[in-house]
Each structure stands twice: as structure tokens, then as C-alpha cells.
Amino acid sequence: DSEVAVVGGAEIYALFLPLAARVELTEVDGAFDGDTHMPPLDPEWREVFRERHGAEGTRPGFAFVTLQRDL
């Protein structure tokens, strides 16, 4: 078994999300201008890892999050 990483664009995410068993997500604290957002995930996704990093200087706080689901 090998892993494939899909790095987006909204249409790319929409195509590959139904095939995914894991999502590696970075959540950044704050509200930012933009027209593309990660769609809400169905309840079948469960959080299995979270690593929180606080804000430093001008850099906002963020978290690395791993979500998994059974296919």
C-alpha cells in the first residue's frame, strides 16, 4: 500500500475527498479574506491527532489536525 498526497484547489479536493481515508489539516486562528474554504466534513470523520501551537509575534496560533474515517 502506498500513500498519495492531494494538494488542492477546491475542485481537486471535491474530486478526491470521497476516496480519502485521512485528512491532514492545518487550522489557523483568525478570519482571513479568501474565496476557497475546506468544506465541512461528514460525521464519519474522526479526529485522531491534534498538535496546538500558540501565536508568536505576528504569527497567528494554529493546530495540525489529523482526521480519519473507515472506507
Side-chain angles (χ1 to χ4, degrees):
D1 292 323
S2 61
E3 293 184 1
V4 174
V6 176
V7 180
E11 290 182 42
I12 300 297
Y13 289 138
L15 288 170
F16 283 93
L17 191 58
L19 305 172
R22 186 176 84 219
V23 170
E24 298 290 346
L25 182 65
T26 303
E27 295 178 345
V28 180
D29 299 338
F32 304 96
D33 291 333
D35 61 355
T36 302
H37 304 277
M38 178 74 179
L41 296 175
D42 295 331
E44 63 191 359
W45 289 93
R46 65 189 186 286
E47 184 176 311
V48 296
F49 176 80
R50 178 176 290 267
E51 181 179 286
R52 183 92 188 107
H53 299 268
E56 264 185 37
T58 59
R59 187 199 76 200
F62 63 96
F64 295 128
V65 182
T66 301
L67 302 154
Q68 288 186 332
R69 70 172 172 172
D70 298 322
L71 290 177

